[in-house]
Amino acid sequence: MDYTEVIVKIDNYLKKNISEGRYLHSIKVAEMSSLIAKLTRNDMDIAYISGLAHDIAREFKVRDLKEQISKFNIFSEEFLKMPQLYHGPVGAAFVKEEFSIINSDILEAIMFHTVGFPNMCNNAKIIYVADYISLDRTHIDKGLREAILNKSLDKMVLDVINLSKDFLISKGNSLVKETEDMYKSLMEINFEKK
Ligand SMILES: Nc1ncnc2c1ncn2[C@@H]1O[C@H](COP(=O)(O)OP(=O)(O)O)[C@@H](O)[C@H]1O
């Protein structure tokens, strides 16, 4: 895969098809993804491409998202009740079709970026964290961002799950099963073996 060519194609698509605010967010997530990949010794180009494309389907019509989610049979009932979560899997299918991207690390990262998934690959963990702590996210201050970036990748993910949980609880909502299961699997890896 020619990374530069793919980045230019996705960038051109985003500039034409999504709002300016969402485009700026996509660039910031791409930059943060690449930084996290560097810090955790993962592939920076793969992370950048995934971050850039993660929200490619965020502004698709709800009717289209609903129509396409039926292709996926891995999501929980709770997830399926929330069309605002569908843009991950639908976006992954879209980049495969539109840009012939077959790299599974990229597709998995786009697919699971909003709620995560148990045992997802490192690149997917990177995008999950980057989407929450990118520089355009005003609810994260510099100190908290730096504290998260100083941790191992799994502990970054655990921090983001905890922050999302607090946020959702404050709004009267809760984490979907995918995120809860990811939390449990990470706790087993990080703490049970001690
Ligand atoms: N793990 C989760 N469980 C349940 N709902 C979630 C979870 N993560 C995000 N949400 C909700 O899904 C919606 C979309 O989230 P997201 O795509 O991260 O928003 P944004 O447009 O800010 O990128 C938000 O309303 C958010 O509260």
Side-chain angles (χ1 to χ4, degrees):
M1 179 167 59
D2 179 336
Y3 293 143
T4 312
E5 195 184 313
V6 172
I7 289 169
V8 170
K9 278 187 186 164
I10 296 173
D11 190 72
N12 283 337
Y13 176 89
L14 294 175
K15 275 189 193 130
K16 280 192 204 129
N17 292 284
I18 61 170
S19 61
E20 208 180 319
R22 183 73 51 194
Y23 176 70
L24 179 70
H25 170 65
S26 304
I27 296 287
K28 294 293 174 198
V29 173
E31 289 169 358
M32 182 56 71
S33 301
S34 160
L35 172 64
I36 298 174
K38 186 177 179 189
L39 294 172
T40 59
R41 293 163 197 255
N42 285 286
D43 190 312
M44 292 170 67
D45 292 314
I46 293 291
Y48 188 93
I49 293 169
S50 312
L52 186 65
H54 81 287
D55 262 352
I56 203 158
R58 186 71 172 97
E59 296 175 4
F60 281 15
K61 290 194 181 79
V62 173
R63 197 186 51 200
D64 295 339
L65 291 167
K66 282 185 175 167
E67 213 174 273
Q68 292 189 44
I69 199 69
S70 55
K71 287 186 209 153
F72 303 89
N73 58 6
I74 54 169
F75 292 104
S76 67
E77 263 179 53
E78 297 151 37
F79 182 101
L80 294 173
K81 279 184 197 148
M82 300 175 69
Q84 67 269 39
L85 304 177
Y86 295 1
H87 66 284
V90 172
F94 181 79
V95 298
K96 191 173 179 189
E97 178 79 22
E98 183 80 14
F99 306 112
S100 307
I101 292 177
I102 51 163
N103 180 297
S104 63
D105 289 340
I106 297 178
L107 298 178
E108 202 178 308
I110 297 172
M111 173 113 82
F112 299 132
H113 78 267
T114 309
V115 298
F117 207 80
N119 306 312
M120 62 187 189
C121 67
N122 277 356
N123 187 54
K125 290 176 183 171
I126 289 169
I127 309 311
Y128 177 77
V129 174
D131 190 22
Y132 205 85
I133 67 164
S134 59
L135 290 181
D136 59 309
R137 296 292 203 193
T138 48
H139 58 276
I140 302 288
D141 68 30
K142 196 166 172 251
L144 177 58
R145 183 177 289 112
E146 278 170 12
I148 294 173
L149 287 172
N150 263 314
K151 299 188 176 182
S152 69
L153 184 55
D154 283 344
K155 291 197 171 153
M156 289 183 199
V157 175
L158 284 168
D159 276 5
V160 170
I161 298 173
N162 284 323
L163 290 164
S164 310
K165 188 172 191 166
D166 292 346
F167 171 75
L168 288 169
I169 287 172
S170 76
K171 302 260 166 213
N173 296 318
S174 54
L175 295 172
V176 292
K177 187 172 184 301
E178 284 75 4
T179 320
E180 291 286 5
D181 288 349
M182 172 169 71
Y183 184 83
K184 283 181 207 146
S185 71
L186 286 173
M187 290 297 281
E188 278 164 23
I189 298 169
N190 282 285
F191 302 108
E192 238 177 37
K193 287 179 190 156
K194 276 191 179 171

